[in-house]
């Protein structure tokens, strides 16, 4: 794995909605080639076998571009495919347990919506925090709004990188300027883009002004 100066800069969270199996992998390939810095495979409804096979296919892509692959929620799948790490939320395995199982070198991200939750996650061994939803989102995942002020409070307080997530688009990205985030997580803005490579290039250009 090559050393990426900031692997959290443009963080792609996958969503298969409206995509064929081949189309899904094609979008990830195009996004990786164009410059996303990290990929999280998020599948809320797949069977274990289907998720394992999909994770293998996605990891073949991220390995080719030397980009870390994070698996959402499923520690078993993370271990099975040798992913770089795991992302957990409120209802998932406690970060302390995940850290004990995966060891000190794994990337473990934790969804945090408040300063108290963020500090607890860091104390438990989180490598980074995913904070949001910053803006309203239609992604089929339960979300709770987090204000930009709370986001700034978290970035000022915790010693680990913070990634903003939730409804972030090209047109509202500038609102995160000077927020202290290490990067942004995108779902539909990339996964549903008519021109994936063009969108990733645009976002990376915008991020030079924001981060």
């Amino acid at each position: 794995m090559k050393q990426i100066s900031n692997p959290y800069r443009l963080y792609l969270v996958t969503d298969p909605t409206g995509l064929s199996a081949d189309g899904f992998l094609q979008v990830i390939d195009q996004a990786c080639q164009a410059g996303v810095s990290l990929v999280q495979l998020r599948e809320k409804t797949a069977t274990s076998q289907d998720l394992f096979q999909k994770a293998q296919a996605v990891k073949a892509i991220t390995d080719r571009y030397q980009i870390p692959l994070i698996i959402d929620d499923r520690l078993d799948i993370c271990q099975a495919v040798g992913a770089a790490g795991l992302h957990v939320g409120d209802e998932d395995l406690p970060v302390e347990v995940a850290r004990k199982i995966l060891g000190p070198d794994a990337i473990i991200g934790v969804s945090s919506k408040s300063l108290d939750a963020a500090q607890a996650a860091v104390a438990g061994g989180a490598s980074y925090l995913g904070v949001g939803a910053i803006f309203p989102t239609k992604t089929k995942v339960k979300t709770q709004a987090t204000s930009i002020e709370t986001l700034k409070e978290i970035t000022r307080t915790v010693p680990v990188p913070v990634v903003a997530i939730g409804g972030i688009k090209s047109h509202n990205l500038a609102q995160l300027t000077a927020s202290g985030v290490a990067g942004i997580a995108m779902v539909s803005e990339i996964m549903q883009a008519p021109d994936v490579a063009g969108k990733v290039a645009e976002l990376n250009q915008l991020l030079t002004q924001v981060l």
Side-chain angles (χ1 to χ4, degrees), residues 59-80:
K59 188 169 185 293
I61 295 170
T62 56
D63 282 356
R64 187 158 68 246
Y65 296 103
Q66 297 185 288
I67 293 170
L69 172 64
I70 305 295
I71 304 296
D72 180 55
D73 180 18
R74 294 290 299 272
L75 183 142
D76 56 336
I77 302 297
C78 173
Q79 291 182 299

Side-chain angles (χ1 to χ4, degrees), residues 11-186:
Y11 182 137
L12 173 62
V13 180
T14 68
D15 179 0
T17 302
L19 296 168
S20 66
D22 288 344
F24 175 81
L25 295 175
Q26 188 174 20
V27 168
I28 294 171
D29 190 287
Q30 291 170 349
C32 290
Q33 185 174 19
V36 299
S37 54
L38 185 149
V39 174
Q40 178 193 135
L41 178 61
R42 184 166 74 181
E43 294 277 339
K44 296 299 186 183
T45 59
T47 66
S48 293
Q49 184 174 24
D50 287 347
L51 181 54
F52 171 65
Q53 292 173 345
K54 182 173 278 191
Q56 283 185 309
V58 172
K59 188 169 185 293
I61 295 170
T62 56
D63 282 356
R64 187 158 68 246
Y65 296 103
Q66 297 185 288
I67 293 170
L69 172 64
I70 305 295
I71 304 296
D72 180 55
D73 180 18
R74 294 290 299 272
L75 183 142
D76 56 336
I77 302 297
C78 173
Q79 291 182 299
V81 301
L86 182 74
H87 189 92
V88 294
D90 296 340
E91 298 176 355
D92 300 328
L93 198 66
V95 61
E96 298 88 345
V97 177
R99 176 59 71 196
K100 185 175 180 180
I101 294 170
L102 293 176
D105 297 329
I107 300 171
I108 302 180
V110 180
S111 296
S112 304
K113 303 179 187 308
S114 69
L115 180 58
D116 286 348
Q119 291 176 315
V122 172
S127 307
Y128 74 91
L129 303 176
V131 176
I134 302 301
F135 303 110
T137 173
K138 295 177 181 177
T139 303
K140 296 173 184 173
V141 177
K142 288 187 291 185
T143 59
Q144 175 184 328
T146 301
S147 69
I148 291 178
E149 282 310 308
T150 297
L151 174 67
K152 290 179 178 179
E153 186 180 23
I154 291 170
T155 62
R156 285 195 300 265
T157 305
V158 302
V160 301
V162 173
V163 178
I165 188 170
I168 302 170
K169 310 287 184 185
S170 299
H171 68 81
N172 59 25
L173 186 53
Q175 294 181 50
L176 297 176
T177 302
S179 64
V181 296
I184 57 159
M186 292 281 200

